[in-house]
Amino acid sequence: MAQTDDSTPSAGDMFTEMLRIQGETARQMIQAFLPEAASAVPADSEIRDWGESAQKLQAMWLQFHEQQASAAFGPDMPVPLFIDPAEWMGLMQGWYQQMPLLDPRRQEKLFLDGMALWEDVLAQYGLGPKGEGHPSAEPHLPRTDKRFADEAWREQPVFALIHQTYLLLAERVLEAVDAVEGLSEQEREQLRFATRNVLDAMSPSNFPLMNPVVLERTIETHGENLTKGMERLARDIERGQLTHTDGAQFHLGENIACTPGKVVHESELFQLIQYSPTTEEVLAAPLVIFPPWINRFYILDLNPKKSFVKWAVEQGLTVFMVSWRSADESLADITWDDYVRAQIEAIDVIRERLGVPGVHAIGYCVAGTTLAATLSILAQRGQEDKVASATFLTAQVDFERAGDLKLFVDDTQLDLIRQASKGGYLDGRYMAATFNLLRGTDLIWNYVVNHYLLGEDYPAFDLLYWNGDVTNLPAKWHEAYLRDCYRDNLLVEPGALEADGTPIDLRLIKTPAYVQAGREDHIAPPESVFRLHDYLSGPVRFVLAGSGHIAGVVNPPSAGKYQYWTGDLADSLEAFVEGATEHPGSWWTDWLAWLEQQGDAKVPAKGKRAPGGKGDKVIEDAPGRYVAQR
């Protein structure tokens, strides 16, 4: 754990002190507002016992972060800010000193608001100056949050006061961030992000002594829940990654990534899977899917009910999938040029294999960004007909409004990432931690509470298994991508970037395009994805899907979930939504109808349309070796 000077406590001391303060605050509030309930307060010795258990758990949590950092980045490398809470505290110390919340007038207002809040909350229980001894049948508290949805947070006034006070404080602190003077907009966004994450970590729901649900479970199980949680935490420390699901329940090629097919081509960077047809005829133009190499390809083939791949095959498409190889030292020199060349290689292999002039291509997330560059290069080379249509799933080319990920691309962050990339590649756990942090309440603290504190069993959830199946990234590509796209936004400047020796100009792309965005996407915000149509010269169909970066894409029609919006293109996403038509269910069927409009000719599903048949040399069964490499 990083050490600080004598005037600044270590992260471990901070959490210990936080526990003490929380416990003392609870006792003071009870004494001040609930003297008649003072006998219900645990004795000091009991509180110390709870505190010791809580401190052990918090210490193990901090040890998890420390060992994760050490395992991923080496003992001599600086720890990324979001790994070590002490680093966050140190970075923000100067900023917080400027916060208006420290102004005596604001402090006085916060105190008065807090007193008013306490009186109003206590009145719901018939206590305090406004209570008059008449408790409400069902307390109605002014602030709600899913972390405090359990009835236990409202059954006793002390826990209602604790979480309502926390929500008030969090609200005021976040408001104060916008009033800090002397910060650039980038620094202000970083402060907002850091503040949200620190506040999430400080939530009383994360501490055994302050969480009534955990207290009840601990009493019921005689502490077995905390013992089980500590054992799990020890295992996670060893593996260097937070566990989200029961991974033993999933087996590649058996109950996940199990659509039948063959690996028909491979290079050092990718394997190309062709899936076996299930219809007598198929669309003449085959489909190739380029998934993001930040994750495993089987997000689009999770299980038979959710699989986009299986569904597309059943609709009469010849489907190819690129399975990217997780980076190791042998891929240290891989750059964006190599991914562009890989996309062109896959397209050419499919064209030659099936004897077709062009393919339909899908690019998901970063692979969609790269597909745009690939299309520009093909256009300049007079080879645009190699791609009959292009589908962009949650893909960005204009990164001006790229969301919270832009917070990780200043010079300091890029330097940390550079130093963290051992052997020419970035450990996939680094990116997993980053994405988890973007939704810390859902992807970090929710699991801390459920599985470390409450001791609940892990769910067998395929999406979470995929989320934890991390991939390593080539360091040169990763740094250039963050710098050139996220930080400097060069991809939309004609000729500012090049790949494979050819300048990139997105305006040259005339390929018919289908652009899909997720309305609640926090990784590729919809207003950022929407801008893609501004740079394409061909016909564009834009579709806004319900939900986010994953569920907005992986939404089979049979599920009957969410919705999507279609309409005429407009100057802004807001204007598009105002004039759009909402449709229930999945956008997949809309996409298929659009794809068939690009050419509906069909051919028999025989010969090399059915991989692995007589005379067809293939490498191995799907899902192949690369997806299993760590």
Side-chain angles (χ1 to χ4, degrees):
M1 182 59 59
Q3 297 296 319
T4 56
D5 59 47
D6 293 339
S7 63
T8 305
S10 69
D13 290 339
M14 287 179 180
F15 276 94
T16 301
E17 181 67 6
M18 195 184 302
L19 282 168
R20 188 196 66 76
I21 292 173
Q22 286 184 324
E24 182 64 27
T25 300
R27 290 194 295 273
Q28 288 180 2
M29 282 194 292
I30 294 173
Q31 188 64 40
F33 295 98
L34 303 173
E36 60 270 48
S39 60
V41 182
D44 286 347
S45 60
E46 295 177 2
I47 291 176
R48 281 196 300 272
D49 291 341
W50 288 118
E52 289 177 4
S53 297
Q55 289 172 28
K56 288 179 182 178
L57 191 63
Q58 294 298 332
M60 293 186 73
W61 176 241
L62 291 169
Q63 182 185 357
F64 160 66
H65 280 296
E66 181 179 1
Q67 185 158 333
Q68 182 183 16
S70 178
F73 312 115
D76 299 326
M77 294 185 180
V79 179
L81 295 178
F82 56 82
I83 294 294
D84 187 348
E87 294 291 333
W88 273 121
M89 301 284 190
L91 175 68
M92 293 188 299
Q93 185 176 17
W95 289 343
Y96 278 131
Q97 287 175 351
Q98 304 175 59
M99 291 190 70
L101 194 60
L102 298 178
D103 181 273
R105 289 172 298 180
R106 285 181 176 264
Q107 288 188 358
E108 181 180 4
K109 185 179 186 305
L110 178 61
F111 176 77
L112 293 174
D113 289 346
M115 292 292 291
L117 171 69
W118 294 343
E119 289 181 354
D120 291 342
V121 169
L122 289 173
Q124 299 286 321
Y125 299 88
L127 303 170
K130 294 183 178 180
E132 300 180 352
H134 302 295
S136 301
E138 183 176 345
H140 296 283
L141 304 179
R143 289 168 175 80
T144 59
D145 188 286
K146 62 184 178 182
R147 290 169 291 183
F148 311 108
D150 194 285
E151 286 295 325
W153 287 100
R154 291 179 293 281
E155 289 175 349
Q156 297 184 35
V158 61
F159 292 114
L161 283 173
I162 288 171
H163 85 268
Q164 287 292 303
T165 302
Y166 163 77
L167 291 174
L168 170 66
L169 177 62
E171 181 182 289
R172 292 292 188 269
V173 169
L174 288 171
E175 289 174 354
V177 168
D178 291 327
V180 178
E181 297 180 354
L183 298 181
S184 67
E185 189 55 34
Q186 174 75 4
E187 289 174 329
R188 192 178 306 280
E189 287 296 330
Q190 287 179 322
L191 180 56
R192 288 191 190 108
F193 184 79
T195 300
R196 285 197 303 269
N197 279 278
V198 169
L199 289 171
D200 286 347
M202 291 179 64
S203 169
S205 59
N206 301 333
F207 295 87
L209 183 63
M210 308 299 288
N211 188 327
V213 183
V214 175
L215 286 173
E216 291 174 4
R217 181 68 56 85
T218 305
I219 293 170
E220 291 171 2
T221 66
H222 302 286
E224 182 181 347
N225 55 309
L226 292 179
T227 301
K228 183 186 294 186
M230 290 183 184
E231 291 173 350
R232 289 171 172 170
L233 184 53
R235 290 196 296 269
D236 284 354
I237 289 172
E238 184 176 355
R239 68 192 289 263
Q241 189 178 354
L242 186 68
T243 297
H244 288 116
T245 190
D246 183 2
Q249 301 300 313
F250 300 101
H251 304 279
L252 290 172
E254 296 179 16
N255 62 353
I256 195 166
C258 55
T259 300
K262 305 290 183 181
V263 176
V264 298
H265 175 78
E266 73 178 33
S267 70
E268 68 167 1
L269 191 54
F270 72 96
Q271 286 190 317
L272 184 63
I273 301 168
Q274 181 182 354
Y275 293 95
S276 301
T278 59
T279 57
E280 292 186 0
E281 288 189 325
V282 291
L283 205 65
L287 173 69
V288 59
I289 302 174
F290 298 112
W293 48 91
I294 294 174
N295 303 102
R296 307 287 180 176
F297 80 81
Y298 61 83
I299 184 60
L300 296 173
D301 190 27
L302 280 174
N303 65 47
K305 291 184 178 180
K306 298 178 183 177
S307 174
F308 177 83
V309 169
K310 182 176 184 293
W311 177 85
V313 169
E314 291 173 345
Q315 308 314 305
L317 299 177
T318 301
V319 180
F320 290 81
M321 173 72 75
V322 167
S323 174
W324 303 104
R325 181 179 160 198
S326 182
D328 56 21
E329 292 184 359
S330 68
L331 299 183
D333 293 326
I334 292 294
T335 65
W336 199 29
D337 299 54
D338 295 289
Y339 285 103
V340 170
R341 282 192 288 264
Q343 290 190 343
I344 296 174
E345 179 181 345
I347 291 168
D348 285 342
V349 166
I350 296 168
R351 292 174 57 250
E352 181 178 354
R353 175 177 172 81
L354 300 184
V356 294
V359 305
H360 298 296
I362 289 179
Y364 192 170
C365 191
V366 63
T369 304
T370 306
L371 178 59
T374 297
L375 293 175
S376 170
I377 291 170
L378 290 177
Q380 292 195 69
R381 296 175 179 176
Q383 299 174 346
E384 60 268 25
D385 291 343
K386 289 184 176 182
V387 180
S389 77
T391 298
F392 299 92
L393 306 181
T394 67
Q396 304 172 90
V397 296
D398 185 335
F399 289 79
E400 182 182 0
R401 300 180 183 178
D404 283 343
L405 279 175
K406 286 179 68 69
L407 302 177
F408 295 90
V409 296
D410 62 17
D411 290 340
T412 299
Q413 294 292 332
L414 290 177
D415 185 59
L416 286 169
I417 293 170
R418 191 180 305 114
Q419 295 181 61
S421 301
K422 301 182 299 181
Y425 66 92
L426 183 69
D427 192 303
R429 292 171 294 182
Y430 189 110
M431 288 301 297
T434 301
F435 285 119
N436 286 347
L437 198 67
L438 294 178
R439 293 177 58 193
T441 298
D442 295 329
L443 294 178
I444 298 177
W445 298 109
N446 178 52
Y447 290 91
V448 169
V449 173
N450 287 339
H451 305 304
Y452 293 165
L453 302 186
L454 291 174
E456 294 180 353
D457 292 336
Y458 289 108
F461 191 12
D462 48 18
L463 179 59
L464 292 176
Y465 176 80
W466 166 84
N467 188 61
D469 190 3
V470 300
T471 58
N472 302 329
L473 302 177
K476 289 184 178 179
W477 167 79
H478 187 236
E479 181 182 350
Y481 175 60
L482 294 180
R483 180 190 65 241
D484 295 340
C485 292
Y486 272 92
R487 190 189 72 181
D488 298 338
N489 201 21
L490 296 179
L491 184 56
V492 293
E493 296 182 19
L497 295 178
E498 67 173 39
D500 199 26
T502 303
I504 298 170
D505 185 350
L506 301 182
R507 300 171 303 176
L508 300 176
I509 300 173
K510 298 180 181 179
T511 306
Y514 189 99
V515 179
Q516 179 270 347
R519 189 164 193 175
E520 300 170 15
D521 195 337
H522 64 286
I523 294 175
E527 57 270 21
S528 182
V529 174
F530 181 79
R531 289 186 170 198
L532 177 59
H533 86 273
D534 289 334
Y535 302 97
L536 304 180
S537 298
V540 176
R541 180 171 180 80
F542 178 79
V543 172
L544 181 64
S547 197
H549 197 70
I550 302 300
V553 172
V554 184
N555 182 27
S558 60
K561 295 178 65 177
Y562 308 125
Q563 67 284 101
Y564 65 95
W565 291 264
T566 62
D568 296 330
L569 290 174
D571 293 335
S572 67
L573 178 65
E574 183 179 2
F576 169 84
V577 171
E578 287 180 359
T581 301
E582 180 177 343
H583 309 273
S586 172
W587 58 271
W588 292 9
T589 52
D590 179 83
W591 170 81
L592 181 63
W594 173 86
L595 193 75
E596 290 175 338
Q597 291 173 7
Q598 312 311 313
D600 58 1
K602 294 186 176 182
V603 297
K606 60 183 181 180
K608 290 192 175 181
R609 293 278 178 165
K614 184 177 181 181
D616 183 24
K617 185 179 180 181
V618 297
I619 297 172
E620 57 188 343
D621 291 338
R625 304 186 317 280
Y626 283 9
V627 73
Q629 291 179 350
R630 300 294 176 264

